[in-house]
Amino acid sequence: MTSLKEICRGLPLHPLPENKGRRKGIPHAPVRTPNLTAREKKLALRNALRYFPPEIQKKLVLEFAEELRLYGHIYMYRFCPDIEMRAYPIGQYPCKTKSAAAIMLMIMNNLDPSVAQFPQELVTYGGNGQVFSNWAQFWLVMHYLSEMTEEQTLVMYSGHPLGLFPSHQRAPRLIITNGMVIPNYSSRDEYEKMFALGVTMYGQMTAGSYCYIGPQGIVHGTVLTVLNAGRRYLKAEDLSGKVFVTSGLGGMSGAQAKAAVIAGCVGIIAEVDEAALLKRHKQGWLMEISNNLDHCIARLREARKNKIALSLGYHGNVVDLWERLVHELDTTGELLVDLGSDQTSCHNPFNGGYYPVQLGFEEGKQLLSSNPGKFRTLVQESLKRHVAAINKLADKGMFFWDYGNAFLLEAQRAGADVAKKGADKTEFRYPSYVQHIMGDIFSLGFGPFRWVCTSGDPQDLATTDSIAMAVLEDSIRQGVSTSVKQQYHDNIRWIREAGRHSLVVGSQARILYSDQKGRVSIAVAINRAISEGKIKAPVVLSRDHHDVSGTDSPFRETSNIYDGSAFCADMAVQNFVGDSFRGATWVALHNGGGVGWGEVINGGFGLVLDGSKDAEERAKMMLSWDVSNGVARRCWSGNAFAYETICQAMKENGTLRVTLPHKVVDENILEQAVKH
């Protein structure tokens, strides 16, 4: 077994580790089909071999060629370390700085088999969300971090460590960019080729920025989405007896089962991969599993009638589940589902993110490898059936929303009936969850704020939970608007119930949705608790890139921007740059994430709180910008909630000045001008 000290020495070359290939008994990424020419295959091999000295290259070239042939990518399985991959307590990492040790902890958490979707392929979630492109990069990064001082910055180019460069103490210790491809070449086909060549990488959101905290990261957002969907669509605060049908239990989608139970409803979640179902059941996130639709319908009826909170995983294709619900409607007249969505990895539908209903899971994987063109055709036919069933149920009163996974976008491209008459190209027959449910929450400045206790001690996490609750309760006592108060109450309820629901998978982490004031206040309070010894080790602050300011995504995060700027990425880029010089320990900027490659630009950060006064000042400055940037942008686009939020922020901070929009009151002047 390899030790942390050995991991930090750099690539193991003398002797080379044994090549054990792909491990059995764990999930593996689908085979990629980059369709490289002979010349491009040579280039991919040359790019991989440049990590190794000439005397080693001859020993590796044939096995790398075999990986490329069998799997469509060179992962360098020989160098997958023989170590228990997990987030170790920060004091165990052999580093010169706490910041570097914190980053190492976060990287290893992203690759923890209990957290990662395909750990040996370095995929954390979403089917293709890479931490690194190959294992040589992992070894080099860990070595660089172990050597890093507070006067150096590690630069990452799409998984590749360019090197340690001189900087200064207040600069970020790490700068990450993933997938920064020239726009005209940012297509799926070009991506497959460039990833196979080892020159770019799809980092999803928090996979390639080293900030994933397991499915808890989306559980809370899903709970809030389901609760607010109930309020908006069903006019209900209590969701007991209400049925939520969706799909996906692999990576982030694994949150849906737990979220349904916390929200108090009946959740039926379809999943084609039995390994994913068993993993979530073993972790206690999924209450029951069945591969029998008759049994699923019977349990649905029972739980619905008795108002029992239930998470039931259907081992099968979600299209079969939707069509069975249509059959029940047609034969009994009974609509058995109230709320519906989808969390397949539809941003990557033709490379294993969505499996067609016409084939079983194993058959689908084989066809994907042997005949990707036929697989694509079946996926598009399946999407049309998928939508047809949803439409029939929605026509009778079910409420469906797109969960930002490009489901409706890909369904439209497949020819499914998802068009909305008179709408622009970011709108469909059904809204995205940002448009109808979470968009106004973002405009208030609320988003997925999170932290990781690097001691690894659950007691430290409990202490931070208590601190966060006290901060939010104090804010309510001081007086906040009705809409903000509701969000604070939802989050207080979330924290109170978090321990009971065993949400921690991997690092000792917590997430809650908070606004600018809440984030800053929680960060300051946690930092002071570290200083006073109430928390034993540094705490890493972060957030999902799916946030107020972090992401420009016209089919998700910015789908409720209606001034024509939804396809512009200034906000995400400005956020990345602004965080970097306001105190972030590391920053990341990505192409892709959520809805797919070429569809979105997003960024994130990590900020290490160590109890120092400097850390407090960094947190105040950086977190304020990290929220207010997006609120100001949403205000300028005409959102009333954002307008009120930014005006209040300017009252409280005399140095903040934001350009406010004037409303065009008389629409007739526009009509006259256009006619003229």
Side-chain angles (χ1 to χ4, degrees):
M1 186 71 77
T2 307
S3 68
L4 286 174
K5 184 175 282 189
E6 289 170 313
I7 287 285
C8 292
R9 288 176 184 159
L11 273 166
L13 302 177
H14 304 289
L16 283 172
E18 179 186 354
N19 183 16
K20 297 179 181 179
R22 276 193 169 195
R23 292 175 187 161
K24 295 181 180 179
I26 63 171
H28 287 286
V31 173
R32 311 192 76 92
T33 53
N35 297 317
L36 300 183
T37 65
R39 178 181 173 278
E40 288 166 339
K41 290 175 183 177
K42 288 180 183 178
L43 183 57
L45 289 167
R46 183 181 295 113
N47 289 345
L49 290 171
R50 60 186 168 178
Y51 286 103
F52 305 93
E55 67 273 15
I56 302 293
Q57 293 173 2
K58 292 179 182 179
K59 298 178 182 178
L60 299 177
V61 65
L62 291 180
E63 70 187 60
F64 285 178
E66 185 72 351
E67 285 186 24
L68 187 61
R69 185 182 69 82
L70 291 176
Y71 311 120
H73 188 74
I74 302 170
Y75 295 105
M76 306 185 186
Y77 289 117
R78 178 190 288 270
F79 295 96
C80 182
D82 182 22
I83 190 172
E84 184 185 354
M85 191 70 74
R86 64 181 177 87
Y88 291 85
I90 191 170
Q92 294 185 27
Y93 290 95
C95 293
K96 296 178 180 178
T97 73
K98 290 179 182 177
S99 296
I103 296 167
M104 295 170 89
L105 179 154
M106 300 290 278
I107 288 171
M108 293 189 74
N109 186 69
N110 271 24
L111 294 170
D112 181 338
S114 70
V115 173
Q117 188 178 13
F118 306 125
Q120 215 180 354
E121 287 77 42
L122 303 110
V123 172
T124 301
Y125 70 92
N128 59 350
Q130 303 284 149
V131 184
F132 302 107
S133 180
N134 60 59
W135 284 104
Q137 294 170 349
F138 168 82
W139 286 89
L140 287 172
V141 167
M142 298 297 276
H143 174 64
Y144 279 135
L145 289 170
S146 72
E147 295 293 315
M148 176 191 285
T149 71
E150 293 287 357
E151 281 77 40
Q152 290 174 303
T153 293
L154 176 59
V155 177
M156 297 293 299
Y157 279 16
S158 293
H160 168 66
L162 192 67
L164 284 173
F165 291 82
S167 59
H168 56 84
Q169 196 166 10
R170 290 190 65 82
R173 299 280 68 79
L174 173 65
I175 303 280
I176 303 167
T177 52
N178 283 311
M180 293 292 105
V181 173
I182 304 300
N184 274 357
Y185 305 92
S186 189
S187 68
R188 279 189 183 144
D189 290 343
E190 290 286 353
Y191 169 74
E192 289 298 329
K193 191 163 287 191
M194 286 188 278
F195 180 60
L197 293 176
V199 296
T200 197
M201 188 182 88
Y202 186 73
Q204 266 286 357
M205 290 190 164
T206 51
S209 66
Y210 320 146
C211 293
Y212 192 62
I213 59 168
Q216 179 194 172
I218 196 175
V219 171
H220 185 32
T222 306
V223 168
L224 290 180
T225 299
V226 174
L227 287 175
N228 284 292
R231 289 165 182 157
R232 180 179 179 115
Y233 300 136
L234 308 178
K235 310 302 179 190
E237 285 289 336
D238 181 3
L239 293 182
S240 56
K242 304 300 181 184
V243 177
F244 173 48
V245 171
T246 183
S247 57
L249 285 166
M252 295 187 79
S253 59
Q256 296 182 107
K258 180 67 76 174
V261 172
I262 295 174
C265 65
V266 179
I268 312 296
I269 307 99
E271 171 59 60
V272 293
D273 185 356
E274 186 178 26
L277 283 153
L278 294 174
K279 180 177 181 178
R280 296 305 175 209
H281 188 259
K282 182 179 179 182
Q283 290 172 340
W285 287 56
L286 184 64
M287 294 166 68
E288 299 177 17
I289 297 174
S290 175
N291 61 5
N292 185 298
L293 278 174
D294 290 340
H295 176 75
C296 289
I297 296 299
R299 285 293 289 132
L300 183 160
R301 290 182 187 277
E302 180 184 1
R304 182 171 178 247
K305 179 181 178 181
N306 296 317
K307 297 188 174 183
I308 299 169
L310 171 70
S311 60
L312 171 60
Y314 167 57
H315 180 208
N317 197 290
V318 71
V319 180
D320 287 328
L321 176 58
W322 282 119
E323 291 180 342
R324 176 59 184 269
L325 290 165
V326 170
H327 173 75
E328 294 296 320
L329 176 66
D330 290 342
T331 55
T332 69
E334 192 175 11
L335 180 66
L336 294 178
V337 55
D338 302 285
L339 301 170
S341 192
D342 183 89
Q343 275 200 39
T344 53
S345 293
C346 223
H347 67 279
N348 186 37
F350 310 124
N351 284 288
Y354 181 99
Y355 281 87
V357 66
Q358 303 93 320
L359 301 173
F361 181 53
E362 293 300 327
E363 289 178 295
K365 287 200 295 184
Q366 290 172 11
L367 184 65
L368 172 59
S369 175
S370 63
N371 191 341
K374 177 66 174 176
F375 184 85
R376 177 186 288 256
T377 299
L378 292 181
V379 163
Q380 292 184 322
E381 290 173 1
S382 183
L383 282 167
K384 285 189 278 189
R385 281 177 57 181
H386 196 153
V387 168
I390 289 168
N391 287 349
K392 288 180 182 178
L393 296 165
D395 287 344
K396 296 298 182 180
M398 179 195 73
F399 295 94
F400 184 89
W401 66 88
D402 183 287
Y403 220 128
N405 60 336
F407 172 69
L408 292 179
L409 179 63
E410 290 303 329
Q412 180 189 58
R413 290 168 175 168
D417 181 15
V418 295
K420 180 180 179 182
K421 291 182 180 179
D424 64 29
K425 56 186 176 181
T426 65
E427 294 183 277
F428 299 98
R429 178 172 181 164
Y430 304 105
S432 81
Y433 73 118
V434 172
Q435 286 172 322
H436 267 201
I437 305 169
M438 300 299 284
D440 287 340
I441 294 174
F442 280 172
S443 296
L444 291 167
F446 281 84
F449 180 56
R450 58 179 59 166
W451 60 88
V452 175
C453 297
T454 66
S455 65
D457 187 343
Q459 184 54 50
D460 275 354
L461 183 59
T463 300
T464 62
D465 283 348
S466 297
I467 288 170
M469 276 196 296
V471 166
L472 298 184
E473 288 167 347
D474 186 57
S475 294
I476 291 171
R477 283 193 294 270
Q478 290 177 24
V480 292
S481 69
T482 301
S483 52
V484 169
K485 186 176 181 180
Q486 183 185 62
Q487 296 306 317
Y488 278 170
H489 277 308
D490 282 348
N491 280 281
I492 290 168
R493 170 186 168 184
W494 160 259
I495 297 174
R496 281 185 179 145
E497 295 186 0
R500 182 164 64 89
H501 288 285
S502 304
L503 292 165
V504 170
V505 177
S507 59
Q508 292 294 317
R510 183 68 70 229
I511 184 172
L512 61 79
Y513 268 57
S514 186
D515 58 356
Q516 178 181 327
K517 181 179 180 181
R519 297 186 206 202
V520 172
S521 299
I522 290 169
V524 169
I526 288 175
N527 193 61
R528 290 178 182 172
I530 296 169
S531 177
E532 294 164 4
K534 296 176 183 176
I535 297 171
K536 303 174 190 66
V539 170
V540 176
L541 300 182
S542 184
R543 58 163 170 75
D544 196 346
H545 297 197
H546 164 65
D547 196 14
V548 182
S549 306
T551 299
D552 283 295
S553 179
F555 297 101
R556 195 164 84 170
E557 284 81 357
T558 48
S559 59
N560 66 333
I561 301 289
Y562 300 115
D563 67 351
S565 70
F567 290 87
C568 301
D570 300 82
M571 180 178 72
V573 175
Q574 287 280 2
N575 224 66
F576 163 80
V577 174
D579 284 353
S580 71
F581 64 76
R582 285 181 172 88
T585 307
W586 73 93
V587 290
L589 185 67
H590 297 184
N591 170 10
V595 296
W597 182 262
E599 305 284 0
V600 50
I601 297 293
N602 64 87
F605 74 86
L607 196 161
V608 177
L609 298 178
D610 60 6
S612 67
K613 187 66 178 174
D614 178 62
E616 179 175 322
E617 292 305 313
R618 286 171 179 254
K620 287 178 179 177
M621 184 175 292
M622 200 225 76
L623 293 174
S624 295
W625 159 254
D626 195 65
V627 176
S628 60
N629 171 37
V631 177
R633 188 269 178 93
R634 294 166 196 278
C635 166
W636 183 245
S637 75
N639 184 281
F641 285 107
Y643 186 95
E644 293 174 12
T645 303
I646 208 69
C647 286
Q648 181 62 34
M650 286 195 287
K651 286 181 183 178
E652 295 173 0
N653 186 344
T655 63
L656 176 64
R657 292 288 183 271
V658 172
T659 305
L660 300 175
H662 292 285
K663 187 175 181 180
V664 177
V665 178
D666 186 358
E667 290 288 328
N668 289 327
I669 63 173
L670 303 179
E671 290 288 340
Q672 292 167 5
V674 170
K675 288 179 181 178
H676 179 75

